[in-house]
Structures are given as C-alpha cells and as structure tokens.
Amino acid sequence: MAKKVKKPWQTKDVMTQIYEMNLWGGKDFDFYSGEGSHHPKIVKPYLKAIKTFLKSFEELPIICDLGCGDFNIGKHLVEYTKKYIGVDIVEALIERNKKKFNAIKLDFRCLDLAKDELPKADCIILRQVLQHLSNAEIKNIVNKLKNYKYVILTEHIPLGNFTPNKDLISGQGIRLKQNSGVNILKPPFNFKVKDKKQLDECVLENNKGRIATILFEVF
C-alpha cells in the first residue's frame, strides 16, 4: 500500500494556527495580532500619521486594509474613509470581525492576498504583513499593487544597513534574525513608484529593529 504524501501547509493553515495557538501573544484575547497592533508606543504615532494622511483627501477615500488582523488598528480609521475594506486570510478571524465591528461603510472579506483578486480602492494599507510571507507570495501581491494610487506599507526591519528580501517560509517569524527585511523597491520585487514618503518610524528597544511606515504614490 502506497504511503500517503503529506501535503505542505498552505499559508492559510499556518496563519490560522498562529491565531489558534496565540503564537503572537495575547493569551487573554480571542484573536491577537501581536504587539505591533497593540503596544501604545507603536500604535499611537502610527495612527496619528495615518489619520493626518487620510484627512488630506478632498473626498473621503476608499481604503483596503490587506491583512487587517484583529482590527485593533483599523477600527480607529474607519471614520476617515468613504468605505473601509478589511481583508484577512483567516476565515474565523474575519467572521469574528464581522460580528464585533459593525458600521455601514465597513466591509470584511476573507481572501488570500497572493492568490485572490483584490478589492478596488484609492489606497492600500499593508501593515506588517509582507514580513511574514515568502518572496514568491510577496511578488504576487506586489504585482497587484500597481492598480492602486497609494500604498501605505509598514515593515519591521533591522536598524542600520541590511540585506533586503532574504527569502523565508511563510509563517510566524520575520527576516530580522537574518539581518534582513522587506523592501519592495529592491529585487526581486522592483516595485516602481512615482514618489515615496516616510510617515512614521518606531525604534524598538533591545536592538529589536524598527517599524517603518512608508507612503508610496504609484504611477
């Protein structure tokens, strides 16, 4: 009798397990997207910067939050938008968000960013998502970003100089231990932009890198 070949885990399975096992912390929470979405030192200046940007629009923008997680960040931004679309790969998390957060202009969808067609919007928010994904998945996502006018990208990267975009297996960890981080302007992604501006940066204690938020204006 032939042995059954064990199928490799898909990113959806991996991310679902991370939340089920509280691998990003927050054991007292039903779903917890990590300190990057909860620590005041990280969250407060980030929200201030994003709100300032959203207020600069003459008309309220449509925002698509790719990897909205537990929505501890996004819930503060909905009022500054015409429509806010929260997307995540974890089905149970999206169902929870639908029940917990309710507003006419709020829309939650369960999608795989690398495989599925993404919603139309004026601006994309990608907050500490790409850092957990393989280069192949990032490349698929970056290829779709050219369809949007603005992309707000937040990544946890090393202090000082580092080698960008070392590959990893999608999951809980990031590239920091390899002295690497995601830079979508560099190979193998080579994302072309009209302009870029740093909106926020939080330097973490104990040489744990920095969390940088950059606004890209796309051609």
Side-chain angles (χ1 to χ4, degrees):
M1 189 174 179
K3 266 188 174 182
K4 285 186 178 179
V5 178
K6 193 173 182 181
K7 291 182 179 179
W9 274 46
Q10 300 296 310
T11 302
K12 185 169 188 173
D13 301 323
V14 174
M15 295 303 171
T16 299
Q17 185 187 62
I18 288 170
Y19 279 107
E20 287 177 349
M21 298 181 67
N22 299 105
L23 297 182
W24 285 330
K27 294 191 181 298
D28 296 329
F29 293 75
D30 56 347
F31 289 89
Y32 186 80
S33 294
E35 277 204 352
S37 295
H38 287 265
H39 197 295
K41 180 184 175 182
I42 301 170
V43 171
K44 285 184 178 180
Y46 172 83
L47 285 174
K48 182 179 179 181
I50 303 305
K51 287 176 183 178
T52 299
F53 171 67
L54 295 180
K55 288 176 183 177
S56 71
F57 283 80
E58 290 185 8
E59 296 182 7
L60 292 176
I62 297 173
I63 299 297
C64 186
D65 185 347
L66 300 179
C68 64
D70 62 18
F71 211 56
N72 193 56
I73 296 287
K75 67 183 181 183
H76 298 287
L77 302 175
V78 178
E79 65 179 291
Y80 303 97
T81 69
K82 180 179 180 181
K83 185 177 183 181
Y84 197 106
I85 306 167
V87 175
D88 207 281
I89 198 171
V90 179
E91 195 166 347
L93 177 56
I94 286 295
E95 291 305 313
R96 171 260 199 187
N97 285 351
K98 286 179 179 178
K99 293 173 184 175
K100 186 168 183 177
F101 305 101
N102 190 7
I104 293 174
K105 53 183 167 182
L106 186 53
D107 179 13
F108 288 107
R109 304 183 192 181
C110 185
L111 298 172
D112 184 325
L113 307 184
K115 296 178 180 178
D116 297 328
E117 183 178 349
L118 302 180
K120 293 181 180 179
D122 300 306
C123 178
I124 287 290
I125 290 177
L126 255 172
R127 190 169 192 281
Q128 292 183 257
V129 173
L130 300 185
Q131 63 193 40
H132 294 288
L133 301 180
S134 68
N135 281 2
E137 288 185 297
I138 295 174
K139 197 165 187 177
N140 286 343
I141 295 168
V142 168
N143 286 340
K144 302 174 187 181
L145 297 182
K146 64 179 181 293
N147 298 321
Y148 302 92
K149 185 173 183 182
Y150 297 104
V151 175
I152 301 173
L153 179 67
T154 303
E155 288 293 318
H156 189 168
I157 55 180
L159 296 170
N161 295 325
F162 62 90
T163 302
N165 306 327
K166 288 185 179 180
D167 207 357
L168 53 61
I169 297 172
S170 299
Q172 176 190 0
I174 62 175
R175 294 164 173 80
L176 205 63
K177 290 181 180 179
Q178 303 179 61
N179 192 39
S180 184
V182 175
N183 183 340
I184 62 173
L185 303 183
K186 300 290 186 180
F189 312 125
N190 302 308
F191 187 53
K192 304 299 182 187
V193 299
K194 182 178 179 181
D195 195 17
K196 69 171 186 174
K197 177 184 178 183
Q198 184 162 304
L199 296 182
D200 180 48
E201 180 178 88
C202 178
V203 177
L204 304 178
E205 297 175 355
N206 301 318
N207 200 33
K208 289 185 178 179
R210 56 197 172 100
I211 298 176
T213 298
I214 298 176
L215 168 67
F216 296 108
E217 184 177 355
V218 186
F219 287 102

